[in-house]
Amino acid sequence: MQERLSEIKNQAKDDLAKAGSIEEVETIKTRYLGRKGGVINEIIKAIPSLPSEQRSSTGKSANILKNEIGRWIEEKKGGFDTSAEASLTLPSFDVSQPGEHKPYGHKHPLTQTIDEIKGIFKKLCFDIEYGPEVEHEYYNFDALNIPADHPSREDFDTFYLGNKRLLRSQTSTVQIRVMEKKKPPIRMIAPGKVFRPDTVDARHASMFHQIEGLMVDEGVSFSDLKYVLTLFAQSYFGQDIKMRFRPSFFPFTEPSAEIDISCSLCKGKGCSVCSQSGWVEVLGAGMVDPNVFNAVGYDPEKYTGFAFGMGVERLTMLKYGIDNIRLFFENDLRFLSQF
Ligand code: DAH
C-alpha cells in the first residue's frame, strides 16, 4: 500500500506540473482529494480491509499525502490568481526598461515677476494685499476721486457687469479696501488681474496684471516715494538703471508723476522698444489726493501718503526683451519653458 501511495504522490506532482489553468487544477483536486471517488479517499476507505498491522501506518501516510497534495494545489492556484490585488503585485512590465520621463512644471513668468516684486517690497516691510476682480463702481472710480465724466468710465474702457458692478480696470481699488479696514501707518502692495476692453495687439491684452502700492503715515513725503521706487527699480532691473520722474495727472494723486526707466534692452542708446528715446514708462505714481483720504475717513491734515501702480507684463517684457504680450497667454511651452 505504501508503494501505491508513493505512486499517487508522483502522479499528483506530475499532473499539477502540467496543469495550465485554474480549471485544470480544480479537476486535479477533485480527482485526488474529492470526497466521492477521490483517489486518497478510496485508499482511506479501503483501510479496514487491510491486514491490521498495515492499517495505522497506511492511515498516517494517506493523511500526510492528502495534506501535501492540498498544499501543492493551493500553491499552484496562487500562480493563476487573477484578482485585482494579484495583478497589481505581479509586474506586467519590463522593470529593466528606462522610466517614462515626466517633465517638471514651473511658475509662469508673470507669477515669477510678481513673486520677485513681492520679495522686494517685503524687505521694505510692505504687506501683500488682495482685492476682488469683480468690483463695485465705488471702489474702481468714486472713492478714487475719478469724476463721473472721466473717460476711463466709458464702456470702451471698462467691462460693466450691470448693477454698478464691473471687472476692475485697476488694482488701485485695493488701496480703498485696505484703508477702509485699517488705520495708518499703511505699507502695502496689491498684485492682481485687471481687465480692459482694449483691442489686443503686441502691447495690449484685455486682461493683464498690475501691482498697486500705497504708503500712508504722518510725514510721508515725495522723497519717500522717490526713495522706495528707486530702490525697487534698482533691485528689479539692476543697480545701473536710471529713472526719470515726469509730471503727470491721476485723479487719485496730487501731485502725480509718470516714471520712466532707462531702456534696459538698449541701455538707453535707443531701440524699437523705447521708440529710439532711450526711456520707457513703467509706473504711475503720486501723493495720495486728500479727497481719497476723505473717502476712507482719514484726516488729510494729519496723514500724507504716496501711491504707485505698475504693469507686470510690461516689467517682465522689459527685463527679458519680450516683444509681444500675447506670448504670456498662449500657453506655448516653447516660450514658457525658457523661464
Ligand atoms: N491705476 C493707474 C492705472 O491703472 C496706475 C496708477 C497711477 C496707480 C498712479 C497709482 C498711481 O496708485 O498713484 O493706470
Side-chain angles (χ1 to χ4, degrees), residues 259-272:
I259 292 132
D260 304 332
I261 57 156
S262 50
C263 180
S264 56
L265 298 179
C266 65
K267 303 279 174 245
K269 286 189 205 85
C271 67
S272 62

Side-chain angles (χ1 to χ4, degrees), residues 36-336:
K36 278 188 203 158
V39 177
I40 302 282
N41 252 7
E42 289 303 302
I43 301 261
I44 291 169
K45 265 196 224 160
I47 288 175
S49 57
L50 290 175
S52 58
E53 68 280 8
Q54 285 184 23
R55 285 182 203 155
S56 135
S57 63
T58 306
K60 237 184 232 166
S61 303
N63 268 323
I64 291 171
L65 182 58
K66 189 177 171 180
N67 290 337
E68 214 168 12
I69 295 176
R71 206 176 57 244
W72 294 340
I73 285 171
E74 289 315 309
E75 274 170 19
K76 185 78 184 181
K77 274 206 228 165
F80 297 121
D81 199 346
T82 53
S83 66
E85 198 185 0
S87 63
L88 273 182
T89 50
L90 287 172
S92 57
F93 55 89
D94 180 352
V95 290
S96 67
Q97 288 288 311
E100 199 180 303
H101 176 66
K102 293 259 192 320
Y104 285 117
H106 64 72
K107 286 185 182 171
H108 190 278
L110 295 176
T111 310
Q112 291 182 36
T113 300
I114 292 172
D115 284 352
E116 188 179 345
I117 295 173
K118 283 199 297 201
I120 295 169
F121 281 99
K122 270 188 194 164
K123 283 190 198 153
L124 298 170
C125 296
F126 278 59
D127 296 327
I128 316 293
E129 302 280 0
Y130 297 94
E133 288 165 10
V134 172
E135 257 301 4
H136 194 281
E137 270 185 46
Y138 175 76
Y139 291 100
N140 204 81
F141 299 122
D142 303 314
L144 286 163
N145 197 35
I146 298 177
D149 58 354
H150 195 272
S152 66
R153 293 199 184 227
E154 301 278 358
D155 281 356
F156 50 78
D157 270 323
T158 300
F159 286 111
Y160 285 95
L161 303 171
N163 201 20
K164 292 196 172 276
R165 307 279 157 178
L166 44 77
L167 294 181
R168 69 176 175 194
S169 59
Q170 51 183 352
T171 44
S172 305
T173 53
V174 188
Q175 287 187 26
I176 305 298
R177 289 189 169 271
V178 170
M179 286 193 284
E180 275 183 347
K181 272 192 283 171
K182 296 184 185 171
K183 293 271 156 272
I186 301 241
R187 273 189 241 188
M188 56 148 263
I189 59 162
K193 292 187 175 70
V194 298
F195 306 84
R196 291 182 195 176
D198 283 335
T199 305
V200 178
D201 62 22
R203 288 175 159 240
H204 298 88
S206 43
M207 183 283 297
F208 57 100
H209 298 75
Q210 284 188 335
I211 296 181
E212 181 78 13
L214 175 72
M215 176 167 171
V216 182
D217 203 349
E218 288 178 47
V220 174
S221 70
F222 203 93
S223 59
D224 296 315
L225 167 64
K226 268 190 112 168
Y227 176 77
V228 167
L229 290 183
T230 305
L231 210 69
F232 158 71
Q234 288 177 345
S235 309
Y236 183 73
F237 287 110
Q239 289 300 317
D240 52 354
I241 202 82
K242 288 193 195 67
M243 290 183 94
R244 184 169 83 168
F245 285 66
R246 276 183 295 109
S248 183
F249 173 79
F250 297 103
F252 31 90
T253 44
E254 179 60 35
S256 304
E258 274 174 318
I259 292 132
D260 304 332
I261 57 156
S262 50
C263 180
S264 56
L265 298 179
C266 65
K267 303 279 174 245
K269 286 189 205 85
C271 67
S272 62
V273 168
C274 60
S275 312
Q276 311 304 328
S277 71
W279 295 96
V280 217
E281 189 210 317
V282 286
L283 274 144
M287 301 305 292
V288 179
D289 193 291
N291 284 342
V292 174
F293 283 151
N294 285 330
V296 296
Y298 283 8
D299 180 358
E301 295 300 324
K302 187 171 178 197
Y303 296 112
T304 48
F306 65 76
F308 57 88
M310 49 195 163
V312 176
E313 281 76 359
R314 170 156 266 218
L315 290 170
T316 314
M317 288 165 83
L318 281 171
K319 185 156 172 168
Y320 300 109
I322 299 162
D323 58 5
N324 194 332
I325 197 171
R326 285 178 278 222
L327 287 165
F328 291 124
F329 307 119
E330 285 171 342
N331 250 351
D332 186 338
L333 288 181
R334 288 170 303 179
F335 169 73
L336 295 175

